[in-house]
């Protein structure tokens, strides 16, 4: 505050950034936080290896330009045939490389439909997508590798390929912690299916409340013949599958999520999608609505090369496994409170306020995972391509494993700050009704966006890692936390109003609390 | 004023650089400070644990500042509003200025700080139709988008101050709505920008001296080559009746000012680049831009002190622009890396030789001499700070007083043919002309070329055309080993490895 007063007074104090922080400038930085030194030593060993590996690899790639099929497939092939190789490690490394590679037309980047490859489109053409960028990391880097994207990097999805105002604006979400979310989603799905008597026979219709770990997912009516009336269900898809990925909750696994991203952002079609399209006209059982829509928009080319470019085989099963393993093993975000005593007090106050005014009702702070193991199954599991087991208790890379410090419970807490269900966010946050190729609005003025999800419905955004992931909201419209909170509407209107009615000091305390939801604080190698 | 420059904004900004405002009455003598000791961090790979400790400590200071800003709004942002007179009077030291510039570069500007504009309420045709900050992805003419929230958002590849990915491309000079209407531009890396400006200034002086002496030195009816730092810019002729004929000039505008910034070489000084970027990409209107009311149609039709009508005046003070400049000037310059592996090391000299033999080096000139390394970062000649860039060149050879900048560019424009041509010209530069981009640090970034169309360096070379066609064809005919050597040599042009929290 002193700096602010100084700036306005007659004889201004010298602007001094060092005095703005409590702890002094960079040169007089405080000692590293407790416990850092131990965490750092093994990490730095790894970093040294990474540096020398990256340097050698880059020179090697310079001599023989590495292309995905030639470069990565032998590696994953080796994984299949050589038992000595650590499969997990190999998949993770290949996935990291896929994530960081600048893709080229030789890899299958882009399409040649009605234009010269790669046929980039900043505004997506319906569900087919752009392509709009050349690498995963180009939009997931904010706050570090695998982070969020800038406003500049918003995807303009489902548009007409031409006008920026006829597409849905989507800010790239941060990717850390995806492995735990994937497992949690599956555990919730299993629990809901049990509740809905998927495995038992009823004699008369029953009304079932779908509640799991305190989250109310709505009500369904189960009939004796096993069918389920889901007309009142809004929080979930009618198949009662929790889909925690995507701003509207459209994918349940990282594999399918990445597959869609490769398709719409890079024009790279997975073999799986291509082959599913071969089963002409039938929507394969078990596909999510999003993947189904994607299958129908691959392109107008021949069946083996729907996007008509040079590359027919663009993304195979091994690539998908690699990227899914990579994403699943990224570290989980952390809660990292401030250090100064007065800020710490504000942080505690903010934490209480978060619960008190109802933010925590949807942004549920804590979930329990019962079995932190994920089996990553290739789409065509064979003896050569066995499933890969990921145990988050030991396999997480570049961060601490999932741990349970409370020995009285047999489960693992994660601090997600989301209830993983959809809510009506009201006209304040609703997508604009898009024209172009999107379906016309059926009734009222809220157009459905994507299959079956109304324009104003969004998945509760997990708030973990929030401090490093601005700008906020699905279209990145809010640069500040204040703007983001105030922009809430619909089911969040009461909490928003409660926030707006708070004294300014409590509002600021809440923001201090939110800023403590951060990424795993380890530096990365550049360039 | 320049006839070639098609836009008022550019003309206005050039005017800004050229005209000297009346200096304040009491002005301390400019002081030259060596920039290196305040900012250069790593010229060579260092002990990563030191690097990590420094990075972590820095991160915690920044985090604590963010918490403080949330708890006491204005605590950091007020400190960032540095005034030029405080810099001139020495109340803000150079290290402080670099630190403020770094924070300004990293921070997300907020609508309260002037991000974007409030022109939607006035139904201004030059801006978008959304409430403030009114961001949009496609620029409308010279007004810009704005299309971002912070500098580091698009200048981060290969480390802070690098270039951008293709997702960070700007859509310049469009209609505000259709990406296809705009000129697509990949953000360029900023390291070494201060050196580019010094080189360009010296070249400009050399060219102007030749033009002024032409009537004396060139016989009537003949011509003489126009040369700066060994780079040929066409020729100057004197007509038989004694008039200066400028029609033989090549690669530079007819005012003979070498402009090293922008893919087409349309901006002369780093200060102009920063002011333009603030306006077009962030909607932050620098004080010095608003003074140019002549071009108001391009900045917004709001009140005189707040043309973009967002209720914020003096969005960027002169001092803030100076701070950004100080930070950019202090970025560690790129390095020429030595491969650790013997097999690679043995191939490197052959690659460098091929780079010259094929003719790459005739435009991507490996090194240019620099005589004067002192650069003023302030708005006027007499402003502080004046910094000595020589420490940034420590890695290059120092030959007596003349420094050598290994930038791999001739800082002139070339015809690149239909292969690389834009939809149309930009700011008076024809659609197929581009400035030779410096190749230093090239492999720390990517994608390549002005619109980021090339994902690999191999593709980038093969996409050359026009004046570079012969060199491209020669590259295409290389054997596999030779092509490999050349790319290996290019791979050695990078930035030092270090540990950081990525922006």
């Amino acid at each position: 505050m002193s700096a602010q007063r100084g700036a306005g007074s007659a004889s201004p104090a010298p602007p001094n950034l060092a005095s703005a922080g409590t702890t002094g400038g960079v040169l007089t930085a405080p000692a590293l936080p407790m416990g850092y030194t131990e965490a750092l030593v093994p990490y730095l060993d790894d970093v040294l290896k990474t540096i020398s590996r990256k340097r050698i690899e880059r020179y090697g790639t310079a001599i023989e330009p590495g292309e995905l099929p030639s470069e990565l497939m032998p590696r994953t092939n080796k994984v299949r045939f050589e038992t000595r190789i650590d499969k997990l490690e190999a998949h993770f490394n290949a996935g990291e490389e896929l994530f960081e590679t600048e893709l080229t037309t030789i890899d299958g980047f882009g399409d040649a439909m009605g234009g010269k490859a790669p046929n980039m489109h900043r505004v997506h053409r319906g569900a087919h997508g752009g392509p709009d960028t050349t690498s995963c990391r180009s939009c997931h880097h904010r706050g570090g590798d695998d982070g969020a994207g800038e406003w500049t990097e918003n995807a303009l999805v489902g548009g007409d390929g031409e006008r920026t105002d006829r597409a849905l604006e989507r800010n790239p979400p941060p990717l850390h912690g995806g492995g735990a979310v994937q497992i949690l989603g599956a555990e919730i799905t299993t629990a809901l299916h049990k509740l809905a008597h998927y495995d038992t026979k009823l004699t008369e219709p029953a009304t079932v409340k779908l509640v799991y770990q305190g989250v109310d997912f709505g009500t369904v009516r189960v009939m004796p013949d096993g069918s389920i009336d889901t007309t009142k269900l809004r929080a979930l898809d009618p198949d009662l599958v929790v889909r925690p990925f995507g701003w509207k909750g459209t994918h349940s696994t990282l594999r399918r999520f990445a597959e869609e991203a490769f398709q719409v952002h890079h024009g790279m079609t997975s073999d799986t999608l291509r082959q599913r399209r071969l089963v002409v006209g039938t929507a394969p059982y078990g596909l999510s609505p999003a993947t189904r829509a994607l299958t129908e928009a691959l392109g107008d080319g021949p069946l083996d090369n729907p996007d008509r470019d040079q590359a027919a085989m663009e993304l195979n099963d091994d690539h998908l496994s690699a990227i899914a393993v990579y994403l699943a093993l990224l570290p989980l975000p952390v809660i990292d409170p401030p250090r100064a005593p007065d800020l710490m007090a504000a942080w505690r106050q903010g934490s209480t306020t978060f619960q008190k005014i109802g933010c925590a009702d949807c942004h549920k702070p804590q979930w329990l995972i019962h079995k932190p193991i994920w089996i990553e199954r290739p789409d065509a599991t064979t003896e050569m391509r066995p499933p890969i087991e990921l145990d988050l208790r030991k396999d997480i890379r570049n961060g601490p494993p999932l741990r349970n410090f409370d020995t009285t419970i047999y489960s693992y807490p994660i601090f997600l700050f989301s209830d993983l269900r959809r809510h009506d966010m009201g006209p304040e946050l609703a997508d604009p009704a898009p024209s172009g190729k999107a379906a016309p609005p059926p009734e009222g003025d809220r157009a459905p966006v994507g299959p079956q999800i109304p324009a104003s419905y969004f998945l509760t955004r997990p708030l973990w890692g929030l401090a490093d992931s601005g700008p906020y909201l699905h279209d990145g419209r809010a640069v500040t936390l204040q703007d983001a909170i105030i922009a809430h509407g619909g089911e969040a209107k009461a909490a928003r109003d409660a926030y707006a009615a708070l004294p300014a000091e409590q509002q600021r305390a809440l923001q201090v609390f939110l800023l403590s939801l951060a990424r795993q604080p380890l530096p990365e190698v550049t360039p | 004023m320049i006839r070639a420059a098609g836009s008022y904004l550019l003309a206005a900004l050039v005017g800004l650089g050229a005209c000297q405002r009346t200096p304040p009455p009491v002005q301390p003598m400019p002081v030259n400070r060596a920039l290196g000791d305040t900012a250069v961090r790593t010229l060579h790979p260092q002990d990563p644990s030191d690097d990590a400790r420094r990075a972590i400590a820095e991160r915690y200071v920044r985090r604590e500042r963010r918490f403080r800003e949330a708890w006491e709004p204005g605590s950091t942002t007020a400190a960032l509003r540095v005034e030029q007179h405080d810099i001139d009077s020495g109340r803000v030291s150079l290290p402080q200025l670099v630190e403020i510039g770094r924070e300004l570069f990293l921070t997300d500007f907020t609508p309260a700080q002037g991000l974007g504009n409030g022109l939607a309420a006035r139904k201004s045709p030059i801006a978008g139709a959304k409430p403030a900050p009114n961001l949009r992805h496609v620029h409308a003419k010279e007004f810009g988008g704005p299309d971002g929230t912070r500098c580091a958002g698009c200048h981060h590849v290969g480390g802070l101050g690098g270039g951008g990915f293709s997702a960070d491309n700007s859509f310049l000079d469009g209609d505000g709505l259709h990406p296809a209407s705009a000129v697509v531009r990949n953000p360029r890396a900023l390291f070494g920008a201060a050196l580019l400006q010094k080189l360009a200034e010296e070249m400009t002086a050399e060219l102007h001296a030749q033009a002024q002496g032409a009537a004396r030195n060139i016989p009537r009816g003949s011509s003489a080559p126009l040369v700066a730092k060994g780079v040929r810019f066409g020729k100057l002729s004197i007509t038989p009746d004694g008039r200066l004929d400028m029609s033989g000039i090549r690669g530079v505008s007819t005012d003979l000012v070498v402009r090293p910034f922008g893919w087409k070489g349309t901006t002369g000084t780093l200060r102009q680049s920063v002011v333009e970027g603030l306006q077009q990409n962030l909607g932050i209107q620098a004080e010095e831009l608003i003074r140019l009311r002549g071009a108001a149609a391009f900045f917004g039709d709001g009140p005189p002190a707040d043309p973009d009508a967002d209720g914020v005046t003096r969005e960027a003070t002169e001092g803030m622009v100076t701070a950004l400049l100080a930070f950019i000037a202090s970025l560690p310059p790129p390095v020429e890396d030595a491969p650790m592996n013997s097999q690679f090391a043995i191939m490197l000299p052959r690659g460098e030789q091929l780079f010259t033999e094929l003719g790459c080096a005739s435009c991507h000139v490996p090194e240019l001499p620099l005589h004067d390394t002192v650069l003023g970062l302030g708005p006027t000649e007499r402003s502080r700070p004046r910094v000595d860039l020589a420490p940034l060149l420590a890695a290059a050879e120092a030959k007596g007083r003349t420094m050598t900048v290994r930038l791999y560019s001739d800082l002139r424009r070339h015809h690149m043919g239909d292969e690389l041509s834009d939809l149309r010209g930009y700011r008076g530069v024809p659609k197929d002309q581009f400035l030779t981009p410096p190749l230093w640090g090239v492999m720390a970034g990517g994608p390549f070329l002005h619109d980021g169309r090339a994902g690999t360096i191999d593709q980038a070379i093969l996409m050359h055309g026009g004046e570079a066609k012969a060199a491209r064809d020669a590259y295409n005919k290389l054997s596999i080993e030779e092509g490999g050597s050349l790319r290996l040599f290019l791979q050695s042009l990078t930035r030092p490895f270090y540990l950081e929290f990525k922006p």
Side-chain angles (χ1 to χ4, degrees):
Chain A
M1 287 315 257
S2 63
Q4 201 177 25
R5 270 201 307 277
S9 64
S11 69
N16 180 359
L17 202 60
S19 68
T22 48
T23 43
V26 168
L27 300 174
T28 56
L32 296 186
M34 290 278 283
Y36 235 117
T37 322
E38 304 97 278
L40 214 51
V41 172
Y43 176 70
L44 288 175
D45 269 0
D46 207 44
V47 161
L48 274 175
K49 279 184 214 141
T50 312
I51 291 182
S52 56
R53 178 174 61 84
K54 274 193 178 177
R55 283 181 75 185
I56 299 253
E57 267 180 15
R58 283 182 197 176
Y59 280 112
T61 323
I63 297 170
E64 283 178 65
E67 315 304 349
L68 288 185
S70 60
E71 184 77 356
L72 283 174
M73 283 211 3
R75 237 176 261 180
T76 37
N77 267 329
K78 247 192 224 161
V79 171
R80 268 185 264 143
F81 293 115
E82 287 189 28
T83 45
R84 287 178 299 118
I85 295 178
D86 181 351
K87 291 180 172 51
L88 206 64
E89 188 73 28
H91 275 87
F92 182 85
N93 289 343
E96 184 173 28
E97 211 167 317
L98 256 179
F99 195 87
E100 294 182 354
T101 304
E102 293 292 313
L103 302 163
T104 67
T105 44
I106 304 162
D107 307 323
F109 177 77
D111 64 58
M113 291 152 47
K116 196 168 162 260
N119 208 3
M120 301 272 281
H121 279 78
R122 183 70 181 84
V123 180
H124 287 196
R125 294 164 282 172
H128 178 76
D132 53 8
T133 188
T134 45
S135 63
C136 305
R137 66 167 179 169
S138 70
C139 296
H140 292 285
H141 61 81
R142 197 183 151 108
D145 290 341
D146 321 299
E150 306 285 334
W151 190 90
T152 315
E153 292 149 2
N154 282 358
L156 299 167
V157 308
D160 61 2
E162 286 169 14
R163 291 174 60 118
T164 50
D165 62 344
R166 295 224 178 123
L168 306 177
E169 189 114 26
R170 289 288 182 269
N171 187 239
L175 302 174
H176 275 199
V181 174
Q182 177 171 249
I183 294 173
L184 176 63
E187 288 190 353
I188 302 173
T189 302
T190 311
L192 297 186
H193 282 192
K194 266 201 188 120
L195 285 172
H197 303 283
Y198 265 22
D199 48 356
T200 51
K201 284 271 180 274
L202 292 175
T203 49
E204 55 190 63
T207 303
V208 175
K209 241 173 120 70
L210 301 173
V211 180
Y212 181 67
Q213 290 194 26
V215 175
D216 184 356
F217 287 89
T219 309
V220 291
R221 207 164 156 72
V222 186
M223 304 298 171
D225 63 354
S227 65
I228 299 181
D229 176 9
T230 56
T231 43
K232 285 192 181 154
L233 204 59
R234 292 286 175 277
L236 277 179
D237 286 331
D239 56 3
L240 306 190
V241 173
V242 172
R243 299 201 157 88
F245 301 112
W247 280 99
K248 281 182 174 283
T250 43
H251 288 287
S252 57
T253 63
L254 292 165
R255 192 182 189 88
R256 297 274 88 84
F257 175 70
E259 180 181 66
E260 171 167 351
F262 270 103
Q263 173 62 40
V264 301
H265 298 302
H266 310 315
M268 293 182 60
T269 311
S270 76
D271 289 357
T272 314
L273 281 178
R274 252 181 339 108
Q275 282 154 11
R276 287 207 170 135
R277 206 177 66 133
L278 289 176
V279 190
V280 187
T282 57
Y285 174 78
L287 282 193
S288 70
T291 304
R292 205 158 54 226
L294 205 58
T295 321
E296 286 153 16
L298 295 181
D300 54 5
L303 288 175
D304 62 340
N305 187 13
D307 59 3
R308 294 177 183 274
D309 59 9
Q310 303 169 5
M313 312 269 272
E314 300 181 344
L315 204 64
N316 66 26
D317 223 4
D318 295 330
H319 293 142
L320 282 181
S321 295
I323 198 82
V325 168
Y326 173 71
L327 292 175
L329 297 184
L330 294 175
L332 273 61
V334 295
I335 302 177
D336 195 357
R339 299 295 190 275
D342 61 331
L343 293 176
M344 191 64 193
W347 179 82
R348 283 194 298 266
Q349 188 194 348
S351 166
T352 321
T353 310
F354 186 80
Q355 304 271 355
K356 198 178 69 190
I357 65 171
C359 310
D361 294 353
C362 296
H363 292 288
K364 177 181 162 65
Q366 182 185 338
W367 281 97
L368 294 175
I369 290 181
H370 296 298
K371 194 181 172 204
I373 291 174
W374 178 260
I375 313 286
E376 185 60 45
R377 292 177 200 284
D379 292 318
T381 305
T382 63
E383 270 178 41
M384 286 303 184
R385 270 198 195 96
I388 307 155
E389 186 182 287
L390 313 174
D391 187 343
L392 299 194
R393 288 170 299 193
K394 59 182 178 59
D395 291 335
I396 286 183
R397 296 294 194 275
N398 299 339
L402 198 58
R403 266 181 270 185
N404 177 8
F405 292 101
D406 182 354
T407 48
T408 58
I409 48 170
Y410 293 100
S411 45
Y412 297 81
I414 62 167
F415 300 90
L416 181 65
F417 294 89
S418 166
D419 56 7
L420 292 190
R421 54 157 284 183
R422 295 190 196 117
H423 292 275
D424 184 353
M425 300 311 293
E428 293 91 338
L429 279 180
D431 281 321
S435 57
K437 284 178 184 166
E443 54 187 15
D445 54 354
R446 285 184 196 168
V449 173
Q452 299 164 347
I453 308 172
S456 62
Y457 275 71
F458 289 93
L459 189 88
T460 308
R461 186 71 218 147
L463 296 186
W464 64 359
L466 163 148
D468 301 303
S469 74
Y472 307 106
L473 302 177
H474 62 278
D475 51 5
R477 70 175 73 174
V479 183
T480 63
L481 289 171
Q482 174 83 8
D483 291 350
I485 299 169
I486 294 296
H488 280 58
E491 293 177 34
K493 195 165 176 301
R496 193 245 349 239
D497 292 345
Y499 172 83
L502 287 178
E505 190 176 285
Q506 285 189 37
Q507 290 187 354
R508 296 200 298 261
L510 184 65
Q511 291 178 35
V512 169
F513 169 70
L514 290 175
L515 281 177
S516 73
L517 309 180
R519 278 167 61 107
Q520 177 62 40
L522 287 173
E524 290 154 352
V525 181
T526 289
Chain B
M1 288 309 218
I2 317 153
R3 202 163 285 275
S7 85
Y8 290 109
L9 177 64
L10 175 66
L13 285 167
V14 170
L16 167 77
C19 79
Q20 294 287 320
R21 281 187 303 283
T22 330
V26 187
Q27 183 72 278
M29 279 305 289
V31 181
N32 300 336
R33 290 279 299 270
L35 190 60
D37 52 344
T38 68
V40 172
R41 220 176 255 148
T42 32
L43 288 173
H44 302 287
Q46 286 186 336
D47 177 8
S49 71
D50 281 357
D51 241 14
R53 275 164 224 283
R54 175 197 46 77
I56 291 169
E58 262 183 30
R59 177 177 192 266
Y60 272 86
V61 171
R62 281 203 76 229
R63 268 175 60 77
E64 204 74 0
R65 260 187 222 146
R66 254 186 107 187
F67 281 122
R68 179 66 61 194
E69 173 69 23
W71 183 232
E72 296 170 12
S75 58
T76 303
T77 47
L80 293 177
R81 291 192 62 80
V82 56
E83 298 289 346
Q84 184 63 40
H85 59 74
D86 282 328
I87 301 170
D88 288 338
S89 67
R91 301 180 79 153
V92 182
S93 69
L94 187 57
Q96 277 174 336
L97 198 63
V98 169
E99 179 68 14
I100 291 172
R102 181 183 155 84
E103 191 64 30
L104 282 170
F105 193 85
L106 278 166
T107 194
D108 281 299
F109 283 89
T110 63
Q113 288 171 284
L115 176 77
N117 60 71
L119 290 169
R122 307 174 72 92
K123 302 213 180 335
S124 282
I126 56 169
K130 285 184 280 185
N134 202 3
L135 303 181
R136 60 179 166 179
H137 293 284
V138 181
H139 292 199
K141 298 298 169 202
E142 291 287 350
F143 178 78
D147 58 3
T149 57
R150 57 176 190 153
C151 309
C154 297
H155 292 284
H156 58 82
V157 183
L160 196 55
F165 290 113
S166 48
D168 301 316
N169 281 357
S170 267
F171 293 84
L172 301 185
D173 197 28
D175 64 359
L177 202 57
H178 299 84
S181 71
V183 175
V184 187
R185 287 289 179 270
N186 190 238
R188 283 179 69 175
L190 302 176
F191 47 74
L195 292 167
L196 293 185
Q197 178 172 336
K198 280 313 289 184
L199 283 171
E201 279 174 9
E202 288 186 359
M203 289 168 89
T204 303
E206 234 180 294
L207 294 180
H208 280 178
Q210 288 169 58
Q212 278 155 16
R216 266 197 322 279
N217 300 338
I218 306 173
R220 289 190 174 195
S222 67
S223 58
L226 190 58
V227 181
K229 292 194 191 294
V231 178
R232 295 189 56 147
F233 287 87
K235 60 183 182 186
L236 279 176
S237 311
I238 301 289
T239 55
D241 56 354
R243 283 184 298 110
L244 186 63
D245 177 9
M246 309 273 274
S247 63
I249 292 173
R250 296 285 177 270
V252 66
S253 301
T254 47
D255 62 353
L256 300 183
V257 176
V258 176
R259 297 191 174 80
F261 303 111
W263 280 98
K264 281 178 175 287
T266 46
T267 308
T269 65
L270 186 54
R271 197 168 182 96
Q272 283 174 37
S273 288
V274 168
V275 167
E276 281 178 21
L278 286 172
Q279 162 68 28
Q280 297 188 332
N281 300 115
L282 304 179
I284 298 285
Q285 301 197 310
E287 208 182 354
E288 50 207 278
L289 185 73
I290 293 180
R291 287 208 199 102
L292 307 162
R293 288 298 295 171
F298 292 95
F299 310 141
D301 55 3
D306 179 24
D308 65 1
D310 54 8
V312 186
T313 56
R314 302 184 75 228
E315 294 174 355
T317 62
E318 281 184 337
M320 288 161 78
V321 176
T322 305
L324 277 169
L325 252 64
F327 167 69
I328 293 170
S330 77
L331 286 169
V335 293
E336 298 189 25
D337 183 43
M340 293 186 297
N341 179 307
S342 319
Q343 189 200 340
F344 297 150
I346 201 88
M347 291 168 76
L348 190 77
R350 177 72 185 131
E352 188 167 12
Q353 195 188 354
L354 281 167
F355 187 75
T356 312
E357 278 176 19
L358 300 187
C360 310
S362 59
C363 295
H364 292 287
V365 174
E367 58 182 42
L368 294 176
L370 181 63
H371 301 285
D372 174 17
T373 54
V374 176
L375 177 69
L377 299 175
T380 67
E381 281 292 312
R382 294 182 59 81
S383 305
R384 278 186 184 177
R386 293 177 59 79
V387 294
D388 188 358
L389 304 171
L392 298 184
L393 291 168
E397 285 175 80
K399 292 172 187 159
R401 298 281 303 157
T402 304
M403 308 295 268
T404 300
V405 185
R406 293 186 62 82
L407 78 166
Y408 295 91
S409 167
D410 56 6
L411 296 185
R412 62 159 277 182
R413 298 187 199 118
H414 293 273
H415 288 275
M416 298 311 294
D418 292 340
E419 291 90 337
L420 283 178
S421 199
D422 275 328
L423 291 170
R424 56 171 183 275
Y426 176 65
R427 290 188 174 179
V429 183
K431 61 181 183 178
D432 68 333
Q433 280 198 27
F434 290 92
L435 188 87
T436 311
L439 291 186
W440 56 1
V442 64
M443 293 312 288
F448 310 100
L449 301 180
H450 62 277
D451 52 3
R453 67 176 71 178
T456 64
I457 199 75
D458 178 54
Q459 281 191 327
I461 300 171
L462 292 175
M463 284 172 180
H464 279 58
E467 294 177 34
K469 192 165 178 300
R472 175 200 68 189
D473 291 345
Y475 169 77
N476 212 4
K477 288 201 191 93
L478 289 181
S479 70
I480 291 174
E481 292 80 26
E482 284 176 327
S485 310
L486 181 71
R487 289 190 298 269
L488 183 119
F489 162 67
L490 291 171
Q491 179 63 47
S492 75
L493 306 179
T494 182
R495 295 176 77 182
F497 275 97
Y498 66 101
L499 280 170
E500 68 164 8
F501 284 96
K502 296 191 177 174

